[in-house]
Coordinates of all heavy atoms in Angstrom, one line a residue:
M1 N 23.7 6.3 42.6 CA 23.8 6.5 41.3 C 23.4 8.0 40.9 O 22.5 8.6 41.4 CB 22.8 5.5 40.5 CG 23.0 5.5 39.0 SD 21.9 4.4 38.3 CE 21.5 5.2 36.7
K2 N 24.2 8.5 39.9 CA 23.9 9.9 39.7 C 22.7 10.1 38.8 O 22.4 9.1 37.9 CB 25.2 10.3 38.8 CG 25.7 11.8 39.1 CD 27.0 12.0 38.3 CE 26.8 13.4 37.7 NZ 27.8 13.8 36.8
H3 N 22.0 11.1 39.1 CA 20.8 11.4 38.4 C 21.2 11.7 36.9 O 22.0 12.7 36.7 CB 20.1 12.5 39.0 CG 18.6 12.8 38.3 ND1 17.6 11.9 38.5 CD2 18.3 13.7 37.7 CE1 16.7 12.4 37.8 NE2 16.9 13.4 37.3
R4 N 20.4 11.1 36.0 CA 20.8 11.4 34.6 C 20.3 12.8 34.2 O 19.3 13.2 34.7 CB 20.1 10.4 33.7 CG 20.7 9.0 33.9 CD 20.1 8.0 32.9 NE 20.5 8.3 31.5 CZ 19.9 7.8 30.5 NH1 18.9 7.0 30.7 NH2 20.2 8.0 29.3
R5 N 21.1 13.4 33.3 CA 20.7 14.7 32.9 C 19.4 14.6 32.0 O 19.2 13.5 31.4 CB 21.9 15.3 32.1 CG 23.0 15.7 32.9 CD 23.8 16.6 32.2 NE 23.1 17.8 31.8 CZ 23.7 18.8 31.2 NH1 24.9 18.9 30.9 NH2 22.8 19.8 30.9
S6 N 18.7 15.6 32.0 CA 17.4 15.6 31.3 C 17.5 15.7 29.8 O 16.6 15.4 29.0 CB 16.4 16.6 31.8 OG 17.1 17.9 31.6
I7 N 18.8 15.9 29.3 CA 18.9 16.1 27.9 C 20.1 15.2 27.5 O 21.2 15.3 28.0 CB 19.2 17.6 27.5 CG1 18.0 18.4 28.0 CG2 19.6 17.7 26.1 CD1 18.3 19.9 28.1
E8 N 19.8 14.5 26.5 CA 20.8 13.7 26.0 C 21.3 14.2 24.6 O 20.4 14.5 23.8 CB 20.4 12.2 26.0 CG 20.2 11.5 27.1 CD 19.8 10.0 26.9 OE1 19.5 9.6 25.8 OE2 19.8 9.2 28.0
L9 N 22.6 14.2 24.3 CA 23.0 14.5 23.0 C 23.4 13.3 22.3 O 24.4 12.6 22.6 CB 24.1 15.6 23.1 CG 23.8 16.8 23.8 CD1 25.0 17.7 23.8 CD2 22.6 17.5 23.1
A10 N 22.8 13.0 21.2 CA 23.1 11.8 20.4 C 23.8 12.1 19.2 O 23.5 11.9 18.1 CB 21.7 10.9 20.0
S11 N 24.8 13.0 19.4 CA 25.6 13.4 18.3 C 26.9 12.6 18.3 O 27.9 13.1 19.1 CB 25.8 14.9 18.4 OG 26.4 15.2 19.6
P12 N 27.0 11.7 17.5 CA 28.2 11.0 17.4 C 29.4 11.9 16.8 O 29.0 12.7 16.0 CB 27.9 9.7 16.5 CG 26.8 10.2 15.7 CD 26.1 11.2 16.6
G13 N 30.5 11.4 17.0 CA 31.6 12.2 16.3 C 32.2 13.4 17.2 O 32.0 13.5 18.3
H14 N 32.8 14.2 16.5 CA 33.7 15.3 17.2 C 32.9 16.6 17.4 O 33.5 17.4 18.1 CB 34.9 15.4 16.5 CG 34.7 15.2 15.0 ND1 35.1 14.0 14.4 CD2 34.3 15.9 14.1 CE1 34.9 14.0 13.1 NE2 34.4 15.2 12.8
H15 N 31.8 16.7 16.7 CA 31.3 18.1 16.8 C 30.3 18.1 18.1 O 29.2 17.8 18.0 CB 30.5 18.6 15.6 CG 30.0 19.9 15.5 ND1 30.6 20.8 14.7 CD2 29.2 20.5 16.4 CE1 30.0 22.0 14.9 NE2 29.1 21.9 15.9
A16 N 30.9 18.6 19.2 CA 30.0 18.7 20.4 C 29.1 20.0 20.3 O 29.5 20.9 19.8 CB 31.1 18.9 21.7
V17 N 27.9 19.8 20.8 CA 27.0 20.8 20.8 C 26.7 21.2 22.2 O 26.4 20.4 23.0 CB 25.7 20.4 20.1 CG1 24.6 21.4 20.2 CG2 25.9 19.9 18.7
E18 N 26.9 22.6 22.5 CA 26.6 23.1 23.8 C 25.2 23.7 23.7 O 24.8 24.6 23.3 CB 27.5 24.2 24.1 CG 29.0 23.7 24.1 CD 29.8 24.5 25.1 OE1 29.2 24.8 26.3 OE2 30.9 24.7 24.8
I19 N 24.2 22.8 24.4 CA 22.9 23.3 24.2 C 22.6 24.4 25.0 O 21.6 25.0 24.7 CB 22.0 22.0 24.8 CG1 22.3 21.6 26.2 CG2 22.0 20.8 23.9 CD1 21.2 20.8 26.8
E20 N 23.3 24.8 26.0 CA 23.0 26.0 26.7 C 23.3 27.3 25.8 O 22.8 28.3 26.0 CB 23.9 26.1 28.0 CG 23.7 25.1 29.0 CD 22.3 25.0 29.6 OE1 21.6 26.1 29.5 OE2 21.7 24.1 30.2
K21 N 24.3 27.1 25.0 CA 24.7 28.2 24.1 C 24.1 28.2 22.8 O 23.8 29.2 22.2 CB 26.3 28.3 23.9 CG 26.9 28.6 25.3 CD 28.5 28.5 25.1 CE 29.2 28.6 26.4 NZ 30.7 28.2 26.3
E22 N 24.0 26.9 22.2 CA 23.5 26.7 20.9 C 22.0 27.2 20.9 O 21.2 26.9 21.7 CB 23.7 25.4 20.5 CG 23.9 25.1 19.0 CD 25.3 25.4 18.6 OE1 26.2 24.8 19.1 OE2 25.5 26.2 17.7
T23 N 21.7 27.9 19.8 CA 20.2 28.2 19.5 C 19.8 27.6 18.2 O 20.6 27.0 17.5 CB 19.9 29.7 19.5 OG1 20.6 30.3 18.3 CG2 20.6 30.4 20.6
L24 N 18.6 27.8 17.9 CA 18.1 27.2 16.6 C 18.8 28.0 15.4 O 19.0 27.3 14.4 CB 16.5 27.4 16.5 CG 15.7 26.7 17.5 CD1 14.3 27.1 17.5 CD2 15.7 25.2 17.0
A25 N 19.2 29.1 15.7 CA 19.8 29.9 14.6 C 21.2 29.4 14.4 O 21.9 29.4 13.2 CB 19.8 31.4 14.9
T26 N 21.9 29.1 15.5 CA 23.3 28.7 15.4 C 23.6 27.2 15.2 O 24.7 26.8 14.8 CB 24.1 29.2 16.6 OG1 23.6 28.5 17.8 CG2 23.9 30.7 16.8
L27 N 22.5 26.4 15.4 CA 22.7 25.0 15.2 C 23.0 24.7 13.8 O 22.3 25.1 12.9 CB 21.5 24.2 15.7 CG 21.6 22.7 15.7 CD1 22.4 22.2 16.8 CD2 20.2 22.2 15.8
P28 N 24.1 23.9 13.6 CA 24.4 23.6 12.2 C 23.2 22.8 11.6 O 22.5 22.1 12.2 CB 25.6 22.6 12.3 CG 26.2 23.0 13.5 CD 25.0 23.4 14.5
Q29 N 23.0 23.1 10.3 CA 21.8 22.7 9.6 C 21.7 21.2 9.4 O 20.7 20.6 9.1 CB 21.5 23.4 8.4 CG 22.6 23.2 7.4 CD 22.5 24.1 6.0 OE1 21.5 24.8 6.0 NE2 23.4 23.9 5.1
W30 N 22.9 20.5 9.5 CA 22.9 19.1 9.4 C 22.6 18.2 10.5 O 22.6 17.1 10.6 CB 24.3 18.6 8.8 CG 25.4 19.1 9.6 CD1 25.9 18.3 10.7 CD2 26.3 20.2 9.4 NE1 27.1 19.0 11.2 CE2 27.3 20.2 10.3 CE3 26.2 21.2 8.5 CZ2 28.2 21.2 10.4 CZ3 27.1 22.3 8.6 CH2 28.1 22.2 9.5
Y31 N 22.1 19.0 11.6 CA 21.5 18.3 12.7 C 20.0 18.2 12.6 O 19.4 19.2 12.2 CB 21.9 19.0 14.1 CG 23.4 18.7 14.5 CD1 24.3 19.6 14.2 CD2 23.6 17.5 15.2 CE1 25.6 19.3 14.6 CE2 24.9 17.3 15.5 CZ 25.9 18.1 15.3 OH 27.1 17.8 15.7
V32 N 19.5 17.1 12.9 CA 18.1 16.9 13.0 C 17.6 16.7 14.5 O 18.3 16.0 15.2 CB 17.6 15.6 12.3 CG1 16.1 15.4 12.3 CG2 18.1 15.8 10.7
L33 N 16.6 17.4 14.9 CA 16.1 17.2 16.2 C 15.0 16.3 16.4 O 14.2 16.1 15.6 CB 15.6 18.7 16.6 CG 16.6 19.9 16.6 CD1 15.8 21.1 16.7 CD2 17.5 19.8 17.8
H34 N 15.2 15.6 17.5 CA 14.1 14.6 17.9 C 13.8 14.8 19.3 O 14.7 15.3 20.1 CB 14.7 13.1 17.8 CG 14.9 12.8 16.4 ND1 14.0 12.1 15.6 CD2 16.0 12.8 15.6 CE1 14.3 11.8 14.4 NE2 15.6 12.2 14.4
G35 N 12.6 14.6 19.7 CA 12.2 14.5 21.1 C 11.7 13.2 21.5 O 11.1 12.5 20.7
R36 N 12.1 12.8 22.7 CA 11.6 11.5 23.2 C 11.0 11.7 24.6 O 11.5 12.4 25.5 CB 12.7 10.6 23.3 CG 12.2 9.1 23.6 CD 13.4 8.2 24.2 NE 14.3 7.9 23.0 CZ 15.5 7.5 23.2 NH1 16.1 7.4 24.4 NH2 16.3 7.2 22.3
C37 N 9.8 11.1 24.8 CA 9.2 11.1 26.0 C 9.8 10.1 27.1 O 10.1 9.1 26.8 CB 7.7 10.8 25.9 SG 6.8 10.8 27.4
R38 N 10.1 10.7 28.2 CA 10.7 9.9 29.2 C 9.6 8.8 29.9 O 10.0 7.9 30.3 CB 11.2 10.9 30.4 CG 12.1 10.1 31.4 CD 12.6 11.0 32.4 NE 13.8 11.8 31.9 CZ 15.0 11.2 31.8 NH1 15.1 9.8 32.0 NH2 16.1 11.8 31.3
I39 N 8.4 9.1 29.7 CA 7.4 8.3 30.3 C 6.9 7.2 29.4 O 7.0 6.0 29.7 CB 6.2 9.1 30.9 CG1 6.7 10.1 31.9 CG2 5.1 8.2 31.4 CD1 5.5 10.9 32.5
C40 N 6.6 7.6 28.2 CA 6.0 6.5 27.3 C 6.8 6.2 26.1 O 6.6 5.4 25.3 CB 4.5 7.0 26.7 SG 4.6 8.2 25.5
R41 N 8.0 6.9 26.1 CA 9.0 6.5 25.1 C 8.6 7.0 23.7 O 9.3 6.5 22.8 CB 9.3 5.0 25.2 CG 10.0 4.6 26.4 CD 11.5 4.8 26.5 NE 12.0 4.6 27.8 CZ 13.1 5.0 28.2 NH1 14.0 5.4 27.3 NH2 13.6 4.8 29.4
H42 N 7.6 7.6 23.5 CA 7.1 8.2 22.2 C 8.3 9.0 21.7 O 8.8 9.9 22.5 CB 5.9 8.9 22.4 CG 5.4 9.6 21.1 ND1 4.6 8.9 20.2 CD2 5.6 10.7 20.5 CE1 4.3 9.6 19.2 NE2 4.9 10.8 19.3
E43 N 8.6 8.9 20.5 CA 9.6 9.7 19.9 C 9.2 10.3 18.7 O 8.4 9.7 17.9 CB 10.9 8.8 19.6 CG 12.2 9.6 19.2 CD 13.4 8.8 19.2 OE1 13.4 7.8 19.9 OE2 14.2 9.1 18.4
T44 N 9.5 11.5 18.4 CA 9.1 12.3 17.2 C 10.1 13.1 16.8 O 11.0 13.7 17.5 CB 7.8 13.1 17.5 OG1 7.2 13.6 16.4 CG2 8.1 14.2 18.5
S45 N 10.1 13.5 15.5 CA 11.2 14.4 15.0 C 10.6 15.8 15.1 O 9.3 16.0 15.1 CB 11.4 14.2 13.5 OG 10.3 14.3 12.8
I46 N 11.5 16.8 15.3 CA 11.1 18.1 15.6 C 11.6 18.9 14.3 O 12.7 19.0 14.0 CB 11.7 18.7 16.8 CG1 11.3 17.7 18.1 CG2 11.5 20.0 17.0 CD1 12.0 18.1 19.3
D47 N 10.6 19.7 13.9 CA 11.0 20.7 12.8 C 11.5 21.8 13.4 O 10.8 22.8 13.9 CB 9.7 20.9 11.9 CG 10.0 21.7 10.7 OD1 11.0 22.4 10.7 OD2 9.1 21.7 9.9
G48 N 12.8 22.1 13.3 CA 13.5 23.2 13.9 C 13.0 24.7 13.4 O 13.0 25.5 14.1
R49 N 12.7 24.5 12.0 CA 12.3 25.8 11.4 C 10.8 26.2 12.0 O 10.5 27.4 12.1 CB 12.2 25.7 9.9 CG 13.6 25.8 9.3 CD 13.6 25.4 7.8 NE 13.2 24.0 7.7 CZ 13.3 23.2 6.6 NH1 13.6 23.8 5.5 NH2 12.9 22.0 6.6
E50 N 10.0 25.1 12.2 CA 8.7 25.4 12.7 C 8.8 25.9 14.3 O 8.2 27.0 14.6 CB 7.9 24.1 12.7 CG 6.6 24.2 13.5 CD 5.5 25.0 12.8 OE1 5.6 25.3 11.6 OE2 4.7 25.6 13.5
I51 N 9.7 25.4 15.0 CA 10.0 25.9 16.2 C 10.5 27.3 16.3 O 10.1 28.2 17.1 CB 10.8 25.0 17.1 CG1 10.4 23.5 17.1 CG2 11.2 25.4 18.4 CD1 9.1 23.3 18.0
A52 N 11.4 27.5 15.4 CA 12.0 28.9 15.3 C 10.9 29.9 14.9 O 10.9 31.0 15.5 CB 13.1 28.9 14.3
R53 N 10.0 29.5 14.1 CA 8.9 30.5 13.7 C 8.0 30.8 15.0 O 7.6 31.9 15.2 CB 8.0 29.9 12.6 CG 8.4 30.5 11.2 CD 7.2 30.2 10.3 NE 6.9 28.7 10.2 CZ 7.4 27.9 9.4 NH1 8.4 28.3 8.6 NH2 7.1 26.7 9.4
R54 N 7.8 29.8 15.8 CA 6.9 29.9 16.9 C 7.6 30.6 18.0 O 7.0 31.4 18.8 CB 6.3 28.5 17.4 CG 5.1 28.7 18.1 CD 4.6 27.3 18.5 NE 4.5 26.3 17.3 CZ 4.2 25.1 17.5 NH1 4.0 24.6 18.8 NH2 4.0 24.2 16.5
Y55 N 8.8 30.2 18.3 CA 9.4 30.8 19.4 C 10.6 31.7 19.3 O 11.2 32.3 20.2 CB 10.0 29.6 20.3 CG 8.9 28.6 20.9 CD1 8.8 27.3 20.4 CD2 8.0 29.1 21.9 CE1 7.8 26.4 20.8 CE2 7.0 28.2 22.4 CZ 6.9 27.0 21.9 OH 6.0 26.1 22.3
G56 N 11.1 31.8 18.0 CA 12.1 32.7 17.8 C 13.4 31.9 17.5 O 13.6 30.9 18.1
H57 N 14.3 32.5 16.8 CA 15.5 31.9 16.4 C 16.5 31.9 17.7 O 17.4 31.2 17.5 CB 16.2 32.5 15.2 CG 15.4 32.3 14.0 ND1 15.7 31.2 13.1 CD2 14.3 33.0 13.4 CE1 14.8 31.3 12.1 NE2 14.0 32.3 12.2
D58 N 16.2 32.8 18.6 CA 17.2 32.8 19.7 C 16.9 31.9 20.8 O 17.6 31.9 21.8 CB 17.1 34.2 20.2 CG 17.8 35.2 19.2 OD1 18.6 34.8 18.4 OD2 17.3 36.4 19.2
L59 N 15.9 31.0 20.6 CA 15.6 29.9 21.6 C 16.8 29.0 21.7 O 17.2 28.5 20.7 CB 14.3 29.2 21.2 CG 13.8 28.2 22.3 CD1 13.3 28.9 23.5 CD2 12.8 27.3 21.6
S60 N 17.3 28.9 23.0 CA 18.4 27.9 23.1 C 17.8 26.5 23.1 O 16.7 26.2 23.4 CB 19.2 28.2 24.4 OG 18.4 27.8 25.5
L61 N 18.7 25.6 22.8 CA 18.2 24.2 22.7 C 17.9 23.7 24.1 O 17.1 22.9 24.2 CB 19.5 23.4 22.1 CG 19.8 23.7 20.7 CD1 20.8 22.6 20.3 CD2 18.6 23.7 19.7
A62 N 18.6 24.3 25.1 CA 18.1 23.9 26.5 C 16.7 24.2 26.8 O 16.0 23.5 27.4 CB 19.1 24.5 27.5
N63 N 16.4 25.6 26.3 CA 15.0 26.1 26.6 C 14.0 25.2 25.7 O 12.9 24.9 26.0 CB 15.0 27.5 26.3 CG 15.4 28.2 27.5 OD1 15.1 27.9 28.6 ND2 16.1 29.4 27.2
L64 N 14.5 24.9 24.6 CA 13.6 24.1 23.6 C 13.2 22.8 24.3 O 12.1 22.4 24.2 CB 14.3 23.8 22.3 CG 13.6 22.8 21.4 CD1 12.2 23.2 21.0 CD2 14.5 22.7 20.2
A65 N 14.2 22.1 24.9 CA 14.0 20.8 25.5 C 13.0 20.9 26.6 O 12.2 20.1 26.9 CB 15.2 20.3 26.1
K66 N 13.0 22.1 27.3 CA 12.0 22.3 28.4 C 10.6 22.5 27.9 O 9.7 22.3 28.6 CB 12.5 23.5 29.2 CG 13.7 23.3 30.1 CD 14.0 24.6 30.8 CE 15.4 24.5 31.3 NZ 16.0 25.9 31.6
R67 N 10.5 22.9 26.6 CA 9.1 23.1 26.0 C 8.5 21.9 25.5 O 7.4 22.0 24.9 CB 9.3 24.2 25.1 CG 9.4 25.6 25.7 CD 9.8 26.6 24.7 NE 10.4 27.8 25.4 CZ 9.7 29.0 25.6 NH1 8.5 29.1 25.2 NH2 10.2 29.9 26.3
L68 N 9.3 20.9 25.3 CA 8.8 19.7 24.6 C 7.6 19.0 25.3 O 7.5 19.0 26.5 CB 9.9 18.6 24.5 CG 11.1 19.0 23.7 CD1 12.1 17.8 23.8 CD2 10.8 19.3 22.2
K69 N 6.6 18.7 24.5 CA 5.4 18.1 25.0 C 5.2 16.8 24.2 O 5.2 16.9 23.0 CB 4.2 18.9 24.9 CG 3.0 18.4 25.5 CD 1.8 19.2 25.2 CE 0.4 18.5 25.6 NZ -0.7 19.2 25.2
C70 N 4.9 15.7 25.0 CA 4.8 14.5 24.3 C 3.4 14.4 23.6 O 2.4 14.8 24.1 CB 4.8 13.4 25.3 SG 4.5 11.7 24.7
Q71 N 3.5 14.0 22.3 CA 2.1 13.9 21.5 C 1.5 12.6 21.9 O 0.3 12.5 21.6 CB 2.5 13.8 20.0 CG 3.1 15.2 19.6 CD 3.6 15.1 18.3 OE1 3.8 14.1 17.6 NE2 3.8 16.4 17.6
G72 N 2.1 11.6 22.6 CA 1.5 10.4 23.0 C 0.8 10.6 24.4 O -0.4 10.2 24.4
C73 N 1.4 11.0 25.4 CA 0.7 11.0 26.7 C 0.6 12.4 27.2 O 0.0 12.5 28.3 CB 1.5 10.2 27.6 SG 3.2 10.8 28.2
G74 N 1.2 13.4 26.6 CA 0.9 14.7 27.1 C 2.0 15.2 28.0 O 1.8 16.3 28.5
N75 N 2.9 14.3 28.4 CA 4.0 14.6 29.4 C 4.7 15.9 28.9 O 5.1 15.9 27.8 CB 4.8 13.5 29.6 CG 6.0 13.8 30.6 OD1 5.8 14.4 31.6 ND2 7.1 13.5 30.1
R76 N 5.0 16.8 29.8 CA 5.9 17.9 29.5 C 7.1 18.0 30.4 O 7.9 18.9 30.0 CB 5.0 19.3 29.9 CG 3.9 19.6 29.0 CD 3.0 20.7 29.7 NE 1.9 21.0 28.8 CZ 2.1 22.1 27.7 NH1 3.2 22.6 27.6 NH2 1.1 22.3 27.0
S77 N 7.4 17.1 31.3 CA 8.5 17.4 31.9 C 9.6 16.2 31.7 O 9.2 15.1 31.4 CB 8.1 17.3 33.5 OG 7.6 16.0 33.9
D78 N 10.8 16.7 31.7 CA 11.9 15.7 31.6 C 12.0 15.0 30.3 O 12.5 14.0 30.2 CB 11.8 14.7 32.7 CG 12.8 14.9 33.8 OD1 13.7 15.9 33.5 OD2 13.1 14.1 34.6
N79 N 11.4 15.6 29.3 CA 11.4 14.9 28.0 C 12.9 15.2 27.4 O 13.6 16.1 27.8 CB 10.5 15.5 27.0 CG 9.1 15.0 27.4 OD1 8.9 13.9 27.9 ND2 8.1 15.9 27.3
L80 N 13.3 14.3 26.6 CA 14.8 14.2 26.0 C 14.8 15.0 24.7 O 13.9 14.8 23.8 CB 15.3 12.9 25.9 CG 15.3 12.1 27.1 CD1 15.6 10.7 26.8 CD2 16.3 12.7 28.1
L81 N 15.8 15.8 24.5 CA 16.0 16.3 23.2 C 17.2 15.6 22.6 O 18.3 15.6 23.3 CB 16.3 17.9 23.3 CG 16.6 18.6 22.1 CD1 15.4 18.6 21.0 CD2 17.1 20.0 22.3
L82 N 17.0 15.1 21.5 CA 18.0 14.3 20.8 C 18.6 15.0 19.5 O 17.6 15.5 18.7 CB 17.5 12.9 20.5 CG 17.0 12.1 21.6 CD1 16.3 10.8 21.0 CD2 18.0 11.7 22.7
L83 N 19.9 15.0 19.3 CA 20.4 15.6 18.2 C 20.9 14.5 17.2 O 21.7 13.6 17.7 CB 21.5 16.6 18.5 CG 21.1 17.8 19.2 CD1 22.3 18.6 19.4 CD2 20.0 18.5 18.5
Q84 N 20.5 14.4 16.1 CA 20.9 13.5 15.1 C 21.8 14.1 14.0 O 21.2 15.1 13.4 CB 19.8 12.6 14.5 CG 20.2 11.5 13.6 CD 19.2 10.8 12.9 OE1 17.9 11.3 13.0 NE2 19.5 9.9 12.2
K85 N 22.9 13.7 13.8 CA 23.8 14.3 12.8 C 23.6 13.7 11.4 O 23.8 12.4 11.3 CB 25.3 14.3 13.2 CG 26.1 15.2 12.4 CD 27.5 15.1 13.0 CE 28.4 16.0 12.3 NZ 29.9 15.9 12.9
L86 N 23.2 14.4 10.4 CA 23.0 13.8 9.2 C 24.3 13.7 8.4 O 25.2 14.5 8.6 CB 22.1 14.6 8.3 CG 20.5 14.8 8.8 CD1 19.8 15.8 7.9 CD2 19.9 13.4 8.7
P87 N 24.3 12.5 7.7 CA 25.6 12.6 6.8 C 25.6 13.7 5.7 O 24.5 14.0 5.2 CB 25.5 11.3 6.1 CG 24.1 10.8 6.2 CD 23.5 11.6 7.4
R88 N 26.8 14.2 5.5 CA 26.9 15.4 4.6 C 27.4 14.9 3.3 O 28.5 14.2 3.3 CB 27.8 16.4 5.2 CG 27.3 17.0 6.5 CD 28.3 18.0 7.2 NE 28.3 19.2 6.5 CZ 29.3 20.1 6.7 NH1 30.3 19.8 7.6 NH2 29.4 21.2 6.0
D89 N 26.8 15.3 2.2 CA 27.2 14.9 0.9 C 28.3 15.8 0.5 O 28.2 17.0 0.6 CB 26.1 14.9 -0.1 CG 25.1 13.7 0.4 OD1 25.6 12.8 1.0 OD2 23.9 14.0 0.2
Ligands
ZN1 ZN1 4.6 10.3 26.5

């Protein structure tokens, strides 16, 4: 069985997001970021603007995923970055 990628994109629909290229600055604003711990399944929403202030707008989503730390168990490795697309009015 193939090893699952460490990052899942939960973006339904047609707008594919390339996490290696996409950064906090280029990510369309109707996406909401979530992080999920691979170990304890703790899930939390991520404030993209807060992350951008701390790490800079040029941080790629792939790099952001690597920096995720679980607030439940403290796990730092292999956490998932999930993208949720908000309905646009
Ligand atoms: Zn955890």
Side-chain angles (χ1 to χ4, degrees):
M1 190 177 144
K2 223 174 132 187
H3 186 70
R4 291 181 71 193
R5 295 199 52 178
S6 60
I7 298 162
E8 287 179 355
L9 299 181
S11 53
H14 29 263
H15 189 110
V17 174
E18 297 208 41
I19 59 166
E20 300 291 342
K21 294 176 188 166
E22 208 81 53
T23 69
L24 291 168
T26 61
L27 185 72
Q29 61 184 0
W30 53 88
Y31 280 100
V32 176
L33 297 167
H34 292 269
R36 185 197 292 157
C37 177
R38 190 175 276 290
I39 295 183
C40 74
R41 300 273 166 188
H42 178 87
E43 190 168 331
T44 187
S45 63
I46 297 171
D47 186 343
R49 280 168 300 189
E50 170 68 27
I51 298 290
R53 262 200 302 274
R54 203 183 302 177
Y55 296 111
H57 290 270
D58 293 331
L59 183 71
S60 73
L61 298 186
N63 279 321
L64 169 59
K66 291 177 193 161
R67 289 167 193 258
L68 295 178
K69 181 188 174 188
C70 176
Q71 294 170 342
C73 72
N75 173 51
R76 284 172 178 274
S77 65
D78 248 7
N79 291 322
L80 301 173
L81 179 66
L82 306 172
L83 297 178
Q84 183 185 7
K85 194 175 185 180
L86 293 179
R88 300 170 71 191
D89 296 326

